[in-house]
Amino acid sequence: MSETTEDQNVRVAAICDQMITLEGPLLPILHEVQEEFGYIPDGALQTIAKKLNLSRAEVHGVASFYHDFREEKAGKHVIKICRAEACQAMGADALGDQIRRHLKVDWSQTTADHKITLEPVFCLGLCACAPAAMIDGKVVGRVSADRILQKVGS
């Protein structure tokens, strides 16, 4: 059974109420909403804006600025491949091309079976072990396409 927008808004309002006393509560609220739903539902932006006395545009601006916030639910597995210079020098572009071809998706897309989401990221701090990736929240260095795909069972 799918959740209604009304149900989501009630839960978002409860999250806001719990966190509104924090200094600078917008980012923690957005993180908590994404943790709750797996993404930031569109209706959540207006609820958050009302609770924080901000415009919807201000909340949307913050949510769209940070790449980790999603407008749609991610796949069961999330692969983030570093696209920064050190990783590019060690073959990250070719690695990304291989993964995209294998999964039949482009950057920031999810496979048709909703199993895997592929995202670009710009530096994971593993420059000495390039190319690097983050697979389901775990950073992995010196990755290959085979190693990435093995970790997600594809």
Side-chain angles (χ1 to χ4, degrees):
M1 182 173 136
S2 66
E3 190 167 37
T4 67
T5 302
E6 181 67 27
D7 292 338
Q8 288 178 337
N9 287 339
V10 167
R11 289 168 60 199
V12 170
I15 290 168
C16 290
D17 290 342
Q18 286 178 325
M19 305 183 100
I20 202 162
T21 59
L22 295 175
E23 188 172 328
L26 180 54
L27 281 174
I29 288 170
L30 288 169
H31 281 289
E32 189 64 28
V33 168
Q34 181 155 297
E35 180 71 25
E36 177 79 16
F37 299 103
Y39 68 108
I40 308 286
D42 190 50
L45 299 179
Q46 186 62 38
T47 302
I48 295 167
K50 283 181 182 176
K51 287 286 189 175
L52 298 181
N53 197 28
L54 299 170
S55 71
R56 185 189 179 287
E58 289 172 303
V59 177
H60 179 266
V62 172
S64 62
F65 177 79
Y66 292 100
H67 297 284
D68 279 342
F69 294 125
R70 307 184 160 80
E71 294 178 358
E72 297 177 355
K73 211 168 204 173
K76 179 181 176 186
H77 300 285
V78 177
I79 300 170
K80 296 181 180 193
I81 297 178
C82 182
R83 310 282 319 277
E85 291 81 2
C87 286
Q88 283 181 20
M90 296 302 291
D93 287 342
L95 172 66
D97 290 344
Q98 280 183 284
I99 298 290
R100 290 183 357 215
R101 274 193 309 274
H102 179 84
L103 297 176
K104 297 178 178 71
V105 297
D106 205 348
W107 295 111
S108 303
Q109 291 183 342
T110 300
T111 56
D113 62 2
H114 300 284
K115 185 177 177 189
I116 300 170
T117 297
L118 179 64
E119 297 179 343
V121 66
F122 295 90
C123 197
L124 292 167
L126 230 57
C127 302
C129 299
M134 180 180 282
I135 304 166
D136 296 333
K138 267 188 134 168
V139 180
V140 183
R142 296 186 180 96
V143 293
S144 65
D146 291 339
R147 188 168 170 207
I148 290 172
L149 294 169
Q150 179 184 24
K151 287 190 176 287
V152 295
S154 181

